[in-house]
């Protein structure tokens, strides 16, 4: 079946980037945009980001993960270290995460180096999660093949009985990654596809700004 999408388009006109008032640190602009997104009733999960990694087969792979912390060092998310994304990061720490807030007509694209956070930090976040999510992390051998008749719900019930009244231990293969940014691009939709784009690149420990053509 063929679907013609050539007439599907939207003209962007909500906002603009004031290039004359840019901060030297891209994290200032990130927090401005992110705070706007979190206070918008139109965006359900502003902390949902696309994470792209490069697999051992040479193909890039992109999936959505949930950002759980932003600090001066970078951006933190949590996952199974033995998942496809975890295996890819163990082989190539260069990753890209991107936000797209369609209602604000904004994108943020971040290139960075991913590294594991400390075990203590992973423990702390793991035990803040709902117990059901803690047990789910044990049940799921993320990205591995399982039988179509494998009963995940029954496995969850078994573990709920096993850990009733006890602390659920964090699996050793589950924890956080910190993405240390080396390049951040801010994209603001503008009319006639003449979008505003500004890029910050880390060079010799300092952020260098440049405006990109639409």
């Amino acid at each position: 079946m063929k679907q013609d999408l050539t007439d599907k388009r939207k003209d962007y006109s909500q906002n603009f980037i004031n290039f004359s008032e840019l901060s030297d640190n891209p994290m200032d602009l990130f927090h401005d945009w992110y705070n706007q997104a979190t206070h918008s009733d139109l965006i359900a999960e502003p902390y949902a980001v696309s994470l792209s990694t490069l697999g051992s087969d040479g193909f890039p792979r992109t999936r959505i993960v949930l950002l759980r912390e932003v600090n001066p060092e970078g951006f933190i998310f949590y996952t199974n270290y033995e998942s496809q994304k975890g295996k890819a990061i163990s082989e190539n720490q260069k990753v890209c995460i991107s936000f797209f807030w369609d209602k604000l007509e904004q994108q943020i694209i971040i290139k960075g180096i991913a590294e594991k956070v400390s075990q203590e930090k992973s423990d702390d976040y793991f035990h803040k999660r709902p117990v059901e999510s803690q047990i789910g992390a044990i049940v799921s051998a993320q990205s591995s093949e399982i039988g179509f008749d494998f009963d995940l719900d029954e496995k969850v019930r078994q573990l709920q009985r096993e850990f009733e009244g006890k602390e659920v231990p964090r699996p050793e293969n589950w924890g956080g990654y910190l993405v240390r940014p080396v390049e951040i691009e801010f994209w603001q939709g503008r009319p006639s596809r003449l979008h505003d784009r500004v890029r910050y690149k880390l060079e010799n420990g300092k952020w260098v700004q440049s405006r990109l053509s639409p």
Side-chain angles (χ1 to χ4, degrees), residues 15-32:
N15 213 329
F16 64 94
I17 295 177
N18 189 336
F19 297 108
S20 66
E21 296 184 358
L22 291 172
S23 170
D24 292 336
N25 191 325
M27 297 305 288
D28 294 334
L29 185 53
F30 174 84
H31 286 296
D32 287 345

Side-chain angles (χ1 to χ4, degrees), residues 129-139 156 160 168:
R129 306 175 88 208
V131 172
E132 294 80 7
S133 296
Q134 296 177 27
I135 289 176
I138 298 175
V139 170
V156 168
Q160 285 175 331
V168 180

Side-chain angles (χ1 to χ4, degrees), residues 72-170:
E73 294 181 293
F75 306 84
I76 295 177
F77 67 93
Y78 292 83
T79 190
N80 188 312
Y81 291 142
E82 296 177 0
S83 64
Q84 288 186 350
K85 68 179 87 65
K87 291 177 179 177
I89 291 172
S90 69
E91 296 180 7
N92 187 340
Q93 292 178 274
K94 295 179 179 179
V95 303
C96 182
I97 60 176
S98 61
F99 299 80
F100 177 54
W101 300 314
D102 63 326
K103 303 300 182 184
L104 300 177
E105 302 170 354
Q106 292 177 335
Q107 295 184 70
I108 304 176
I109 303 169
I110 301 162
K111 293 180 182 179
I113 308 300
E115 60 186 53
K116 291 180 180 179
V117 303
S118 68
Q119 294 187 26
E120 293 76 14
K121 192 170 187 65
S122 291
D123 284 337
D124 182 62
Y125 174 69
F126 183 80
H127 292 297
K128 289 179 179 178
R129 306 175 88 208
V131 172
E132 294 80 7
S133 296
Q134 296 177 27
I135 289 176
I138 298 175
V139 170
S140 174
Q142 195 175 101
S143 301
S144 64
E145 295 185 4
I146 60 176
F148 289 107
D149 58 349
F150 186 83
D151 194 338
L152 288 167
D153 292 331
E154 176 55 30
K155 183 64 176 177
V156 168
R157 288 191 287 270
Q158 291 177 8
L159 289 173
Q160 285 175 331
R161 292 192 291 268
E162 178 180 342
F163 291 112
E164 186 174 5
K166 304 176 184 177
E167 181 177 86
V168 180
R170 176 182 64 86

